[in-house]
Amino acid sequence: MKTLTTLSLILLLAASYTAKAEDDKAAKRQARRKAAEAAQKPSEIAVPAKTGLRLPSLFGDHMILQQNIKNTIWGWAEPKESITVTASWGATASAQAGADGAWKVLLETPAFGTGHSLKITGSKTINIEDVAIGEVWLCAGQSNMGWSVGNSAEAEMEANVNLPNYRIFKSAREHWHEPLTEKRDLLDQWNPCNPESAAETSVVAYNFGKKLHLALNVPVGIIQQAYAGTPIEGWMPWEVQQDIAQSKMQKADGDKSAKLQVERKGESREKALQQFESELADYNAKIAAGETMKNKARALLPPSITKPADLGNQYPAHIFNGMIYPIRPYGIKGAIWYQGERNSKTAPQAAAYGEQLKRLISYYRSSWHELSGGNVAKDFPFFFTQLPSWEAPQIQPVEGFESTWAVNRETMRLVSMAMPHTGMAVGIDCGDPIALHPQNKKPIGIRHAYLALKEAYGKDIVPCGPRYLSQKIEGSKITLEFDSIGTGMMPAKPGKLDAFAIAGADKKWHWADAEIDRNKVIVSSKEVPTPVAVRYAWAMNPSQRNLLYNQEGLPASPFRTDTWALYDPNNPDVGVEKPEKTDEARDAKRSYQDWGRPRMTQ
């Protein structure tokens, strides 16, 4: 089992303090913004009536619609009420509310533009102003997708940003044990990109959308749906994953925890739901009265349930129910995803992630396509973030079963190779040896944009770093072939590549000599006269090695050519050790570290 340094022991708790500080800072900024808006336009902050014509919060001033498709617009009204949606560009669509009051129309949009408006007419009229038409992307995941620009390494560079045709929609965290047709957050809304809205936005999603906006020269909108500390099991319906062993284990753990919470502490479902309804009524009343802040430091947010566990945010499907179900089938071009840390505590868990990610992508695509009447593509682009570097720098040629993030990276790589219209933003040259929430996320956002510019928009661009394709054993050497080499491959810094390892049939790994030859890397070692397999950057934190890049400044993903066991079935729980809560760790200050990387040139 891996031994952590004192610094590593400090880092994990420091990260938890950092995450809290992130929430506090973001909440303060949001509270100031909402308070200012309330003072200027108090009549606009009110609880939507649950009777009569109304719309989800996704439909409001400054919104953006996907260009050149029929966009789904939906809402609620009185049963059998006739609804007409009229657009300033001349399109109209009508529907009649069902017995439950729900209605939906498909409204055709032209090519990109700004300055549009919508009129929704029924028993009353709702006018939506400053509507843009362009490209819309979903940005979802756990805390590293939520980590804000204001807390990133380059926050000051966005302090004066003014991009009115770049639109941002950021949702509060919500989960529920049943699908929610309507989100409970009454303050979320579309905002044009300015210093304040930028600072509150996910640094990965923000830089992704900004790069697209500037490269395409069209309006771009991002819908940020992030929830800290959540497993992938929470982000898709149970029926989609119910036959996956790891998903069943996650559900069983939640059921077991819930039972113990009821038996030992009386945390019953009935008690939790009753308290929730009381807190929700209080929240709604405060918003109706014009309040926007919980206290001087925190904005008002809808309540949530943490106990018992079968109502909490770690339980399968609950994040999907609260964060994804209510926003489908809003017109989108594609999605980016940053999640996986919560599913990499052990190697078996990390190994299962590949199949889970495939299920999630397939379901998001098929359900969005179906619910949108076929207007959102059935195979829309879906790009995901490979886990960055974390923990002590690599010193062994290949780290063992405890290096669970290496396993997760490999499962993601294989998904990107197997599923059409997917891609992976490699992150091993980003990260932090201490913090679980590294600040150097801007490169990851830009790499997502490269993937989108190539895959979704057909731009003449190198979308990613060198990708391993195959190996050929030739005597004492192994030749590795790559694509996506751009104008050529290179090491990250002067000197020889030093992140390759090679092994024979004895499965003992040794550092390899590695030489670049056009689109190939030739590896060998005097210690391994008859090699059979290679691994590259196989460690929790390979960032300090001399890594492989292309000339465009994009890194190669870690990979392996073998199919050997990734964990011991007799000891499957081996993983990254958690630190003890020592006084030294409690008193730790944030120690941010970054390192050099080749400049991205596109």
Side-chain angles (χ1 to χ4, degrees):
M1 186 171 291
K2 192 170 186 176
T3 301
L4 297 181
T5 64
T6 301
L7 186 61
S8 294
L9 294 177
I10 292 172
L11 76 90
L12 288 174
L13 283 176
S16 68
Y17 294 127
T18 303
K20 183 180 184 300
E22 150 73 5
D23 286 343
D24 289 345
K25 290 177 183 178
K28 288 178 182 178
R29 285 192 296 271
Q30 185 181 26
R32 287 195 298 268
R33 174 169 60 82
K34 298 302 182 183
E37 290 173 353
Q40 294 171 5
K41 298 184 285 186
S43 62
E44 294 186 10
I45 297 183
V47 179
K50 294 300 182 182
T51 58
L53 180 63
R54 70 183 193 279
L55 299 164
S57 57
L58 271 168
F59 300 97
D61 292 350
H62 316 302
M63 68 179 291
I64 180 169
L65 291 170
Q66 177 63 37
Q67 66 175 327
N68 295 321
I69 68 168
K70 290 183 178 179
N71 282 260
T72 308
I73 298 176
W74 70 93
W76 301 270
E78 295 299 327
K80 307 300 181 182
E81 185 175 336
S82 295
I83 308 298
T84 298
V85 180
T86 304
S88 60
W89 56 88
T92 63
S94 298
Q96 185 179 64
D100 60 354
W103 58 268
K104 179 173 74 173
V105 301
L106 296 175
L107 185 73
E108 191 166 3
T109 52
F112 65 90
T114 58
H116 294 294
S117 61
L118 293 174
K119 179 185 290 186
I120 299 90
T121 306
S123 58
K124 63 178 182 179
T125 297
I126 298 175
N127 292 302
I128 300 176
E129 304 297 335
D130 189 29
V131 177
I133 298 173
E135 296 297 298
V136 184
W137 286 78
L138 171 68
C139 306
Q142 60 179 106
S143 56
N144 275 314
M145 176 57 88
W147 191 266
S148 71
V149 170
N151 286 286
S152 72
E154 300 184 8
E156 293 183 2
M157 296 181 66
E158 307 302 327
N160 297 310
V161 67
N162 181 28
L163 296 170
N165 296 328
Y166 177 24
R167 309 293 173 86
I168 299 165
F169 186 92
K170 177 187 175 185
S171 289
R173 302 171 186 171
E174 291 192 64
H175 68 271
W176 199 240
H177 55 286
E178 297 172 344
L180 282 180
T181 57
E182 189 172 4
K183 292 177 66 63
R184 297 186 173 106
D185 183 6
L186 300 176
L187 297 178
D188 57 1
Q189 61 187 26
W190 283 99
N191 288 293
C193 178
N194 55 43
E196 195 164 46
S197 61
E200 296 174 358
T201 303
S202 154
V203 64
V204 171
Y206 172 81
N207 282 290
F208 164 74
K210 181 182 177 183
K211 179 71 174 179
L212 287 188
H213 176 51
L214 297 178
L216 298 172
N217 196 29
V218 303
V220 167
I222 55 172
I223 301 172
Q224 178 183 327
Q225 304 292 103
Y227 202 130
T230 49
I232 194 172
E233 291 90 346
W235 286 91
M236 54 183 155
W238 175 241
E239 60 269 20
V240 174
Q241 57 182 317
Q242 61 185 342
D243 62 329
I244 300 176
Q246 186 61 45
S247 295
K248 289 190 284 187
M249 187 180 301
Q250 180 75 12
K251 184 176 185 295
D253 288 346
D255 291 336
K256 181 179 179 181
S257 295
K259 182 178 180 181
L260 291 175
Q261 288 162 352
V262 171
E263 292 175 350
R264 296 178 181 179
K265 297 184 178 180
E267 302 280 2
S268 69
R269 292 172 64 92
E270 293 76 14
K271 176 182 174 181
L273 291 169
Q274 184 178 17
Q275 181 178 347
F276 175 86
E277 292 299 332
S278 175
E279 292 176 354
L280 182 62
D282 183 60
Y283 166 79
N284 289 338
K286 288 179 177 178
I287 297 296
E291 295 184 42
T292 59
M293 295 183 292
K294 180 178 180 180
N295 51 46
K296 292 183 179 180
R298 289 184 174 273
L300 273 175
L301 297 173
S304 63
I305 298 176
T306 57
K307 297 177 182 179
D310 58 357
L311 291 179
N313 66 348
Q314 301 293 317
Y315 202 77
H318 286 190
I319 303 300
F320 171 83
N321 291 341
M323 300 290 285
I324 301 300
Y325 189 94
I327 68 170
R328 294 178 314 162
Y330 195 90
I332 60 172
K333 181 69 171 184
I336 67 171
W337 174 256
Y338 191 166
Q339 190 279 333
E341 297 93 335
R342 183 61 180 77
N343 286 83
S344 299
K345 292 185 176 182
T346 67
Q349 187 186 38
Y353 190 82
E355 179 60 27
Q356 292 173 312
L357 182 58
K358 287 181 180 179
R359 299 284 184 93
L360 181 143
I361 294 170
S362 295
Y363 181 76
Y364 279 30
R365 285 172 164 176
S366 63
S367 65
W368 231 288
H369 178 72
E370 179 181 352
L371 292 170
S372 69
N375 287 285
V376 173
K378 62 182 177 181
D379 56 354
F380 63 75
F382 195 109
F383 308 122
F384 35 90
T385 307
Q386 187 185 67
L387 294 184
S389 283
W390 179 53
E391 271 218 355
Q394 179 182 10
I395 58 173
Q396 302 174 38
V398 166
E399 291 183 352
F401 295 154
E402 74 281 357
S403 293
T404 58
W405 287 28
V407 177
N408 185 287
R409 293 182 191 121
E410 176 71 353
T411 65
M412 285 192 182
R413 184 186 73 84
L414 294 176
V415 172
S416 74
M417 301 294 283
M419 294 192 76
H421 308 300
T422 64
M424 180 176 66
V426 175
I428 58 167
D429 58 347
C430 300
D432 191 297
I434 295 175
L436 275 166
H437 299 95
Q439 295 187 29
N440 53 358
K441 291 183 171 65
K442 182 177 179 178
I444 292 174
I446 293 174
R447 289 168 190 174
H448 273 292
Y450 288 154
L451 291 166
L453 288 169
K454 179 68 172 182
E455 176 63 41
Y457 303 108
K459 297 297 182 180
D460 184 14
I461 196 171
V462 180
C464 61
R467 294 187 304 180
Y468 165 71
L469 296 178
S470 63
Q471 76 167 8
K472 183 177 181 181
I473 301 173
E474 298 174 304
S476 61
K477 298 180 179 181
I478 294 181
T479 298
L480 306 167
E481 186 177 357
F482 295 82
D483 68 1
S484 193
I485 66 169
T487 52
M489 296 193 292
M490 68 177 192
K493 52 194 174 185
K496 291 191 173 183
L497 298 168
D498 66 0
F500 287 87
I502 194 166
D506 60 2
K507 301 182 183 179
K508 293 181 180 180
W509 294 101
H510 300 268
W511 287 116
D513 295 321
E515 299 289 341
I516 296 172
D517 180 13
R518 291 169 294 183
N519 69 327
K520 298 177 176 63
V521 175
I522 302 170
V523 296
S524 62
S525 170
K526 293 179 181 179
E527 305 294 328
V528 187
T530 309
V532 299
V534 173
R535 290 191 187 184
Y536 167 71
W538 197 271
M540 290 290 292
N541 180 1
S543 63
Q544 304 305 294
R545 312 302 302 180
N546 199 3
L547 300 172
L548 178 66
Y549 282 74
N550 55 29
Q551 297 282 346
E552 285 68 27
L554 300 173
S557 167
F559 65 89
R560 65 174 184 151
T561 69
D562 63 274
T563 57
W564 299 335
L566 293 174
Y567 58 89
D568 180 358
N570 297 316
N571 192 13
D573 293 331
V574 172
V576 181
E577 293 183 5
K578 295 181 179 180
E580 296 179 5
K581 294 185 177 181
T582 63
D583 290 339
E584 185 179 24
R586 290 189 183 95
D587 295 338
K589 299 294 184 181
R590 176 74 166 89
S591 177
Y592 171 66
Q593 298 186 38
D594 196 7
W595 40 79
R597 61 185 67 83
R599 183 176 68 89
M600 294 184 291
T601 62
Q602 300 177 104

